[in-house]
Amino acid sequence: KMLRRVLCTVLFMGALPSLAEASQGHISVVLLGATGDLAKKYLWQGLFQLYMDQVSSGHSFTFHGAALTALEPGQRLMFDVLKKLACPPDESPNRCAVLKDQFLKLSQYHQLKTAENYTVLNREIETLLRQEGLKEAGRIFYFSVPPFAYTEIARHINSSCRPPPGAWLRVVLEKPFGHDLQSAQQLAAELTSFFREEEMYRVDHYLGKQAVAHILPFRDQNRQFLDPIWNQHHVERVEIVLKETVDAKGRTSFYEQYGVIRDVLQNHLTEALMFLTMELPANVSRAEEVLQYKLQAFQSLRRLEKNSAVLGQYQAYTSQVQEELQKAPDYISTTPTFAGVLIHSDSLRWEGVPFLLTSGKALDERVGYIRVLFKNRAYCAQSETLRDAGHSQCKAKQIIFYIGHGALNTPAVLVSRNLFRPVMPKGSWREALGQSDLQIFGQPLSDYYVYHPVKERDAYSVLISNIYHGRKDFFITTENLLASWGFWTPLLDSISHQPPRLYPGGVENQHLLDFEMVSGEVAFTMAEPVELLNPSRQMPSDYRTVQSKFRQSPLVSAWSEDLISQLASDIEKTASKAVAHSGQFHLALSGGSSPVVLFQRLARHHYAFPWKHTHIWLVDERCVPLTDTESNFLSLHNHLLQSVRVPYFNIHPMPVHLNQRLCVEEDRGTQLYAKEIMALVANASFDLVLLGVGTDGHTASLFPQSENGLEGAQIVVLTESPVKPHQRMSLSLPLINRARQVFILVLGKGKHDITTLLSRVGHQPRKWPISGVSPSSGQLVWYVDYEALLG
């Protein structure tokens, strides 16, 4: 009998203690997509490694390669791969030869195309086990196929290829697991109709990388050192980085759909982030606890905004897409091939600590690492050359999980000598004691305790071993998957049409992709170089801010960045004058997207602004809780208030949420806000009101044909918007017109049509509420960028 002969041969070579111990049960491994790239590069080698490791475990194995290819050509392709399998360097040549020969004998190819094919496979497995007199322990089905094929294959396995009761089923799924939250939910729902959660093993091969897999054990084994310092008070920042020198050539059909964020950040780098930020369970070996704490860490992550990311694309990418996907010569791709994303956690442990996730193609080096940089409050009087790295508190303090490649070219864990000597498991990690001239993050290797794996293992070999052992904490559960997509999808939606910065690739990138963190956001440190296509045509930098008239009022017009800078300076001047005159400055700010860049400018560049004497009011508010992402106040808080020192009692959000209800007349929210204005603002005359303009001519939340707010004595009103959320609270037009200064900000090509229309119409607030803005004794100034003004 085949299995019996194989076992006897291996026993003869000394691999098994006794044949009797080979009775724990039989495992059938079915590799779907057995002739594909992933199978050729990693999976067959991983399965061979599993066989070598577990041949003495008491389980017997058969390996079934499967694909759509017909039997003879498929068999030929598969065995061409199997013949090239290699043993680890420390394996004896004789044992290696025997095990490889037996592995090939235990492997067979099947064409799996129809429901009947799956029925035949099931029958063959059952017949083999019956002939060999072996009990079935379980079956592993490894899906190395595109996700669109998952559902059909799952249906066939569920209907005709499940093992009998008492044996387990493990179904292994490769990414991508969806394109966004909605598609991930749909795919998850389809799979859960065929498989139980405990039967599904979603692979993220980064969890098999030895340095990544050791993050939790490292934290657990070094609790005594890390407990006091693994928090916001001691950690300055964390960097999670995967850089590649290769580009996307040959993979553009995949890459054009996914881009770098979906390909790397949403999965690989996010999983590493979870291992760093999650609270440690009492027992890190308990998969259920680990997975639960990971979910809690997801829930603490702050929502990503458009300005949480910087995006790039190597210059040759679009031409590669045009060529490989037969796109038109004028096709321009906006798919990012580089991304830097700033993430914050609002957990008590990590509040305020920046986590930078960065990845890209066509960069200057191939390297992956996770770097935890600690704050350094020391000053050292001794000159640097005389300091001992192990004792000098002035050298950088960091822990680095080095994933591979780069200067070290091997997985490693590095801990600064001035931090602590880590506890590392001697059986699997060894300390590197030899001196080296290498520099890691500007420091000689001698400044670190450095540890390498005793035996380097491929990520897929590690994960296949974990599948065999049923270690679910190394895989992505449905809850984990949906939490990740729920976190990333809003950012992906917001940047879907954002043009990325172009970069040449490789060492020529220089500083083009360097970015910095400012006020909770990220931006490139260098201005993007502009290629002059037409020397006779003026470029944006050739324009200067011009002053003229618009609707009989002063007009300031410039390119948007210069315009925002001018507006911010003018607001600061107005504030300083008001404070010098009366001791306080009452500023009413509109919601919407246009003021966001202004808020950021004020927060980042105007440190002389008299915030201490400023009162902040809302011009309008959506009828949603103030913590809702649609809230104007939340946007104001995120982009301005949390970065400046305005006294708590000087901040006046609109009372839209009273008695656990939103904008109900009986709650008298409008009267409350009006009463507050009358009590604090002299003559109910704001020093400055900032307004925007909608494409329909609305301003504040005063809409065309609005029944409230365009006239009358009421100074705060409830209105109805034509778009959701419909209910709004707004200052009235008569109150706005009592202001000492009104600035109107208009940005972008989308506002060109309404800007042109407003330049021609008169005072018709019922049709265009913005046309009714005309301060009775104050000044109105228009700030309109060139795109809105000139189209």
Side-chain angles (χ1 to χ4, degrees):
K1 294 181 179 180
M2 183 191 71
L3 282 176
R4 190 72 49 177
R5 283 199 303 272
V6 168
L7 289 171
C8 288
T9 306
V10 176
L11 174 64
F12 178 74
M13 291 299 296
L16 285 174
S18 74
L19 192 61
E21 289 186 23
S23 60
Q24 287 187 27
H26 182 75
I27 296 172
S28 304
V29 181
V30 183
L31 175 55
L32 298 135
T35 56
D37 281 347
L38 187 65
K40 288 177 189 174
K41 285 181 182 176
Y42 302 110
L43 300 183
W44 279 117
Q45 185 64 50
L47 291 173
F48 181 43
Q49 185 66 54
L50 174 72
Y51 180 65
M52 287 189 285
D53 292 343
Q54 302 303 327
V55 72
S56 308
S57 70
H59 283 123
S60 59
F61 294 87
T62 47
F63 299 91
H64 305 264
L68 298 175
T69 311
L71 185 62
E72 280 191 26
Q75 204 163 19
R76 191 166 54 251
L77 282 169
M78 186 181 99
F79 279 93
D80 283 346
V81 176
L82 299 190
K83 287 169 189 172
K84 295 173 185 172
L85 294 175
C87 294
D90 57 352
E91 192 68 74
S92 74
N94 286 350
R95 186 173 187 271
C96 175
V98 170
L99 289 175
K100 185 174 174 181
D101 181 59
Q102 301 313 321
F103 183 77
L104 265 66
K105 287 177 180 173
L106 294 172
S107 301
Q108 52 187 300
Y109 177 81
H110 306 262
Q111 183 185 32
L112 288 186
K113 199 170 185 179
T114 65
E116 178 61 24
N117 294 149
Y118 285 85
T119 304
V120 170
L121 171 63
N122 184 62
R123 197 180 304 131
E124 285 184 18
I125 293 172
E126 289 175 345
T127 303
L128 182 70
L129 293 172
R130 193 167 52 252
Q131 288 173 350
E132 302 289 346
L134 290 169
K135 179 186 173 186
E136 184 157 20
R139 297 181 190 181
I140 296 171
F141 283 86
Y142 200 119
F143 285 42
S144 180
V145 296
F148 66 76
Y150 283 3
T151 304
E152 186 183 355
I153 294 171
R155 185 180 294 110
H156 291 321
I157 292 171
N158 186 55
S159 63
S160 56
C161 245
R162 277 187 169 275
W168 46 255
L169 172 67
R170 291 172 191 158
V171 175
V172 188
L173 305 162
E174 277 285 345
K175 79 176 184 79
F177 312 118
H179 184 266
D180 54 18
L181 179 59
Q182 186 180 357
S183 59
Q185 286 171 327
Q186 183 181 342
L187 182 58
E190 288 168 357
L191 290 171
T192 51
S193 66
F194 302 114
F195 305 126
R196 297 191 300 276
E197 181 64 36
E198 63 268 23
E199 293 175 330
M200 290 187 283
Y201 289 69
R202 289 184 186 85
V203 169
D204 183 328
H205 78 273
Y206 246 58
L207 299 185
K209 299 280 187 182
Q210 286 169 290
V212 177
H214 194 61
I215 295 173
L216 279 187
F218 178 87
R219 288 181 58 192
D220 182 48
Q221 290 154 15
N222 290 279
R223 285 180 194 249
Q224 59 183 16
F225 306 118
L226 290 175
D227 276 355
I229 62 172
W230 199 256
N231 55 57
Q232 58 170 317
H233 302 297
H234 295 273
V235 175
E236 182 177 307
R237 71 179 188 187
V238 178
E239 300 166 2
I240 306 175
V241 176
L242 173 61
K243 294 167 68 179
E244 297 183 87
T245 52
V246 297
D247 60 18
K249 191 171 184 180
R251 289 187 71 222
T252 56
S253 59
F254 167 82
Y255 217 79
E256 190 63 357
Q257 291 183 66
Y258 289 89
V260 67
I261 294 179
R262 290 180 173 93
D263 186 35
V264 177
L265 278 77
Q266 178 272 328
N267 36 68
H268 304 331
L269 304 195
T270 301
E271 287 302 312
L273 175 70
M274 292 300 100
F275 284 160
L276 295 170
T277 57
M278 63 181 274
E279 293 300 309
L280 268 186
N283 183 353
V284 295
S285 299
R286 284 181 57 84
E288 301 82 6
E289 283 188 51
V290 170
L291 295 168
Q292 199 54 45
Y293 279 106
K294 276 175 75 176
L295 281 174
Q296 289 174 15
F298 265 119
Q299 289 158 9
S300 297
L301 296 181
R302 192 181 301 167
R303 179 187 169 94
L304 292 174
E305 304 289 341
K306 189 175 182 178
N307 292 317
S308 302
V310 289
L311 308 173
Q313 183 192 94
Y314 64 84
Q315 284 174 342
Y317 178 75
T318 287
S319 61
Q320 289 171 353
V321 171
Q322 291 169 354
E323 181 184 343
E324 292 179 19
L325 304 184
Q326 283 83 52
K327 297 286 187 182
D330 61 347
Y331 176 80
I332 301 293
S333 171
T334 57
T335 302
T337 62
F338 170 86
V341 179
L342 174 60
I343 293 176
H344 282 99
S345 169
D346 287 328
S347 69
L348 288 174
R349 181 182 295 276
W350 295 114
E351 189 174 10
V353 176
F355 290 83
L356 288 169
L357 274 60
T358 305
S359 185
K361 291 192 171 293
L363 301 181
D364 62 314
E365 63 175 337
R366 184 186 184 189
V367 67
Y369 62 82
I370 297 151
R371 180 189 184 208
V372 182
L373 185 64
F374 292 85
K375 295 174 182 176
N376 199 328
R377 300 182 178 89
Y379 168 76
C380 295
Q382 184 82 321
S383 69
E384 191 173 339
T385 53
L386 298 174
R387 292 182 210 149
D388 172 14
H391 299 95
S392 172
Q393 290 304 305
C394 282
K395 292 222 174 189
K397 300 177 180 182
Q398 49 197 329
I399 297 172
I400 302 159
F401 298 95
Y402 204 88
I403 298 164
H405 304 290
L408 291 179
N409 201 32
T410 178
V413 176
L414 300 90
V415 179
S416 294
R417 287 182 178 272
N418 59 2
L419 208 49
F420 59 86
R421 176 185 276 277
V423 175
M424 295 290 281
K426 287 189 170 62
S428 51
W429 291 82
R430 59 178 173 80
E431 186 173 0
L433 299 172
Q435 291 297 310
S436 169
D437 297 332
L438 284 177
Q439 296 255 329
I440 302 292
F441 298 111
Q443 289 182 262
L445 211 54
S446 57
D447 282 5
Y448 302 94
Y449 295 112
V450 182
Y451 297 85
H452 297 295
V454 169
K455 186 176 182 180
E456 271 195 60
R457 299 197 64 181
D458 170 70
Y460 278 99
S461 296
V462 173
L463 290 173
I464 287 170
S465 173
N466 287 325
I467 295 161
Y468 166 79
H469 288 290
R471 287 288 307 273
K472 286 283 287 184
D473 49 325
F474 279 85
F475 299 88
I476 313 300
T477 64
T478 302
E479 273 189 296
N480 194 150
L481 173 71
L482 298 182
S484 181
W485 276 121
F487 174 66
W488 284 100
T489 297
L491 174 69
L492 290 163
D493 289 344
S494 71
I495 62 172
S496 57
H497 300 296
Q498 183 177 324
R501 166 172 290 199
L502 294 178
Y503 59 95
V507 293
E508 292 178 36
N509 294 334
Q510 297 291 322
H511 302 295
L512 257 183
L513 298 178
D514 294 352
F515 59 92
E516 60 186 345
M517 301 171 286
V518 185
S519 301
E521 297 171 354
V522 284
F524 285 117
T525 54
M526 278 181 64
E528 187 166 15
V530 179
E531 187 179 353
L532 192 61
L533 299 175
N534 183 356
S536 64
R537 183 182 164 196
Q538 284 186 302
M539 298 305 291
S541 57
D542 296 324
Y543 285 91
R544 295 290 176 265
T545 300
V546 294
Q547 288 256 1
S548 59
K549 294 279 184 181
F550 184 78
R551 292 181 57 83
Q552 289 78 52
S553 295
L555 167 69
V556 181
S557 187
W559 293 100
S560 58
E561 192 173 334
D562 296 332
L563 185 73
I564 292 297
S565 176
Q566 182 66 51
L567 175 55
S569 296
D570 290 348
I571 293 174
E572 183 178 334
K573 286 174 192 169
T574 306
S576 299
K577 283 180 185 175
V579 171
H581 179 260
S582 63
Q584 53 190 0
F585 174 55
H586 287 275
L587 172 64
L589 296 169
S590 286
S593 56
S594 292
V596 167
V597 283
L598 171 67
F599 298 160
Q600 292 164 349
R601 179 84 194 181
L602 287 168
R604 293 176 185 175
H605 299 283
H606 290 264
Y607 297 105
F609 199 103
W611 294 115
K612 186 178 177 182
H613 305 285
T614 298
H615 284 257
I616 303 283
W617 301 83
L618 271 287
V619 168
D620 64 327
E621 180 58 281
R622 297 174 168 99
C623 291
V624 295
L626 298 186
T627 53
D628 192 287
T629 53
E630 294 279 355
S631 166
N632 289 341
F633 179 78
L634 183 66
S635 175
L636 177 64
H637 171 269
N638 289 346
H639 299 294
L640 178 65
L641 295 180
Q642 69 176 0
S643 304
V644 297
R645 292 186 176 181
V646 180
Y648 176 80
F649 291 107
N650 287 13
I651 299 170
H652 308 280
M654 282 185 156
V656 292
H657 198 185
L658 297 171
N659 302 320
Q660 298 182 329
R661 304 188 293 185
L662 293 166
C663 294
V664 175
E665 289 270 7
E666 297 82 59
D667 293 332
R668 301 171 61 83
T670 55
Q671 289 94 321
L672 284 171
Y673 207 55
K675 190 175 178 182
E676 193 175 2
I677 292 168
M678 298 296 288
L680 296 174
V681 184
N683 303 319
S685 177
F686 290 105
D687 294 300
L688 175 59
V689 174
L690 176 72
L691 299 175
V693 180
T695 53
D696 59 354
H698 83 265
T699 191
S701 279
L702 304 171
F703 298 92
Q705 312 303 325
S706 182
E707 294 179 11
N708 301 322
L710 297 178
E711 54 191 17
Q714 207 173 348
I715 65 172
V716 184
V717 294
L718 291 177
T719 65
E720 288 284 327
S721 163
V723 295
K724 289 183 178 180
H726 296 300
Q727 261 196 314
R728 310 286 176 94
M729 187 179 288
S730 179
L731 302 186
S732 69
L733 198 55
L735 178 65
I736 290 168
N737 284 334
R738 288 165 73 169
R740 292 185 175 86
Q741 295 249 51
V742 177
F743 292 170
I744 301 176
L745 176 62
V746 191
L747 297 176
K749 280 185 183 176
K751 301 290 176 66
H752 175 60
D753 290 345
I754 188 64
T755 304
T756 304
L757 181 67
L758 290 172
S759 69
R760 298 170 185 162
V761 302
H763 181 86
Q764 298 183 61
R766 296 286 298 171
K767 274 192 171 182
W768 302 287
I770 190 67
S771 71
V773 177
S774 179
S776 51
S777 57
Q779 184 189 34
L780 169 63
V781 183
W782 290 81
Y783 291 81
V784 187
D785 76 348
Y786 287 143
E787 288 193 328
L789 194 65
L790 307 172

